[in-house]
Amino acid sequence: MWIGSGKLGVAFASLGNTLFNMVSTGENEDVSCILEDNSGNLWMGFDGSVSNITNYNSEMRSNSILSFAVDNDKLFVGTSSGCYVYDITNHKFATPKVILDKLADEFITSLIVDGRGLVWMGTRNGAFVYASQKNAVYKASVGDGYTNNYIRSLVEDENQNIWASSDNGIIKISILPQNQEEELRFQCFSYFADDGLGDAHYFNNASCRTKSGLCLIGDFKGYTEIYPNKVIPEIHSGKTMFTTLYINEVLQSPTEDNPYIQENISVATEIKINHDDNITLFLSSMIPGSSQRIKFMYCIKERKDEWVRIPDDYVSLHGLSSGHYTLEVRYEIQGVKYSATDTEEKPVTNSQDLVEEVEEEEITVKSKDNKITLLIVEDNADSRGFLERSLNDIYNVLTAEDGKDAISVLRQNDVNIVVSDIMMPRMNGLELCNFIKKDIQFSHIPVVLLSAKSTEENIITGLRDGPDDYITKPYSLNILKLKIERILGRIRQNRADIITNIKVEPSKITVSSLDEEFIQKTNQIIEDNMQDANFSVVQLSSEIGMTRGNLYKKLMAISGLSPLEYIRTIRIKRGYSLLQQGKTNVSEVAYSVGYSSKQFSRYFKMQYGCLPSDFIKDAK
């Protein structure tokens, strides 16, 4: 039995013998995987190289070797930047082009070859399957029935099903029957804490099958036993129900004087709202114990939209134009042999005065999970794993082993804060920080650097667009947590200041000069169009040179407001300032900021808690 360690190389012992013999691996001390091939050769992967093969003398793009699998004389090598195939007999790489193309930037957490000869690859982006006979790579992902794309490990049971541990439960993946010429199709079924998993957090590449057929998957507290032949109880279909209604984030109870609903939302036949109201409807399939397997979808009937998948159990709509709409919602039970569906309709009437502007339509589905996403960038696997385990309870933690890897993670995820080491291969922490602060897509993300030398501190403090904070090693975990929370607290305070302060000062609410310029430009465009009642998010995004989607993400990250809400906030602030200066005609003030008197009064009260007329009286 061979065992690899994080700092002491490898050791071996006979089964039943507790005395291990240490084997030196030279400078390669971080052992990440060990595999014996069919000829008895022992392959070791390091967080730095694989045997004497590195990215300097091969086609591999990374020296971080994470997993192995062997198929006859082919060694599959999983790295932090793709999967590669080594011809053991001819001592050279012979990676099929389809693997190089499809998995070039994938972080390969685990590899197995199943009984059919298919090579399964677990990644941060789902499970990929290489079929050599078809010379094709297929992907099983969230759309096939499971709820998390971060695959930690893979193991095959005796029935040729694949069991994959993920960051949200364990997934059973089956290949559906097919003809020889057909593409592979997958069916997935997920298991969660309610199914007996508890609060398990799984290791990468930590699973096996015993001689008795049990599948074992390792986690931080031990391992999970899977009995593949145990019968899974059938889930019966239910009925889609609307359970709760929120208008502008206020829970609506049915009463006679409630302008929105007078009867319980589950039996109400219609909802009447104002055009600027934010409506949120919570949903239920009425199937107990299956909430994580239920996936809801919605569409607006009159617009002939396609069905939109909802990440949670509610749908939010905002800024609908005046008219009558029918909101259709249905659900699917994922991972079973049938797709149980049931559709519920809810008419929504959106009314407004004809003289008021029709604001542009902006429909968003918001996530209920407000957990901050933190990216840890650390080339040392032990330190990276320690930080991930220590911060996982507080934040949604993503990891990367160097700056290059971090950029890939940033492009695929909405990251709120980055904690990075400085000394790393390919791209160090200072280079990563500079990249983040100079790219408009990421420049709002605060960065904390982990500094090991006093000379690095001097470099850090001399940077104009440097990190938001830094910590000198060795550091206390509590100090790191405190620094992260202080940065996040400043962001929350900046967002509150945008609402409460009369003037929005870009330099005080941003974390980079690029963002400061962005807010200055945004504010100026809104100021230049202040009296234009038809000024919209479409015009703002066009003038600022960003797509609506990117503009939405950017303003939400900095201000916590959508573009529509941000425009409204700036306009109402101008109106407040005019009233403060002695303007007493509310209609004139409203017109000067692009609103009707009724609109201005409503938004003013929403922002400042009183009507403009009451504000004028109090000022006197």
Side-chain angles (χ1 to χ4, degrees), residues 25-252:
T25 54
E27 296 181 358
N28 297 315
E29 56 184 10
D30 293 331
V31 183
S32 51
C33 51
I34 303 175
L35 179 76
E36 182 182 9
D37 66 23
N38 296 333
S39 301
N41 301 310
L42 199 63
W43 294 84
M44 298 182 189
F46 300 92
D47 197 2
S49 66
V50 50
S51 185
N52 60 343
I53 303 170
T54 71
N55 65 338
Y56 298 111
N57 58 19
S58 75
E59 65 185 28
M60 294 193 307
R61 295 173 56 193
S62 170
N63 275 342
S64 182
I65 312 304
L66 306 173
S67 54
F68 287 134
V70 66
D71 184 23
N72 297 319
D73 64 341
K74 299 294 188 296
L75 178 71
F76 287 80
V77 183
T79 77
S80 62
S81 293
C83 182
Y84 304 89
V85 183
Y86 186 75
D87 187 326
I88 299 172
T89 302
N90 297 308
H91 308 289
K92 65 178 183 179
F93 277 94
T95 309
K97 186 176 184 299
V98 66
I99 292 181
L100 292 174
D101 291 344
K102 291 289 183 68
L103 294 128
D105 296 318
E106 296 295 342
F107 189 97
I108 312 297
T109 59
S110 51
L111 283 166
I112 64 167
V113 180
D114 71 10
R116 292 158 291 212
L118 299 174
V119 181
W120 293 75
M121 294 164 269
T123 76
R124 290 172 170 172
N125 192 31
F128 291 82
V129 183
Y130 170 61
S132 58
Q133 292 184 343
K134 298 175 183 287
N135 190 33
V137 172
Y138 304 95
K139 181 181 178 183
S141 60
V142 168
D144 294 299
Y146 61 82
T147 56
N148 191 275
N149 269 331
Y150 201 133
I151 303 300
R152 294 288 181 175
S153 67
L154 300 161
V155 60
E156 183 187 23
D157 67 22
E158 293 177 322
N159 304 315
Q160 294 190 326
N161 299 308
I162 303 299
W163 296 81
S165 61
S166 77
D167 277 1
N168 185 22
I170 292 176
I171 308 136
K172 176 185 175 183
I173 309 175
S174 304
I175 295 180
L176 295 172
Q178 37 151 343
N179 297 325
Q180 188 69 26
E181 299 78 19
E182 288 182 331
E183 294 187 353
L184 297 184
R185 294 182 297 117
F186 306 95
Q187 182 180 65
C188 306
F189 192 91
S190 297
Y191 297 85
F192 306 99
D194 293 344
D195 299 305
L197 298 182
D199 185 26
H201 300 279
Y202 300 102
F203 284 113
N204 287 352
N205 201 27
S207 57
C208 68
R209 189 176 83 200
T210 68
K211 290 182 179 179
S212 64
L214 280 182
C215 293
L216 307 180
I217 297 181
D219 60 52
F220 289 122
K221 297 179 181 179
Y223 60 88
T224 299
E225 294 181 344
I226 299 172
Y227 299 81
N229 295 320
K230 187 175 181 180
V231 177
I232 300 169
E234 182 180 356
I235 298 177
H236 298 281
S237 59
K239 177 176 175 57
T240 309
M241 296 283 288
F242 294 99
T243 60
T244 314
L245 171 67
Y246 283 81
I247 301 291
N248 301 324
E249 300 184 0
V250 177
L251 176 63
Q252 300 298 316

Side-chain angles (χ1 to χ4, degrees), residues 546-606:
M546 299 176 76
T547 65
R548 286 182 62 191
N550 288 337
L551 178 63
Y552 180 89
K553 287 181 180 180
K554 192 69 180 176
L555 276 176
M556 282 295 292
I558 296 174
S559 67
L561 301 171
S562 70
L564 196 64
E565 292 167 330
Y566 191 82
I567 292 171
R568 181 190 303 160
T569 298
I570 299 300
R571 281 177 155 171
I572 296 303
K573 282 180 180 292
R574 168 63 74 84
Y576 183 97
S577 179
L578 291 173
L579 293 176
Q580 262 195 334
Q581 295 169 25
K583 301 285 186 181
T584 58
N585 189 316
V586 174
S587 295
E588 289 181 2
V589 170
Y591 177 78
S592 68
V593 297
Y595 287 133
S596 69
S597 178
K598 185 176 180 180
Q599 282 180 306
F600 178 71
S601 296
R602 183 189 306 129
Y603 297 148
F604 190 94
K605 186 175 182 180
M606 285 171 57

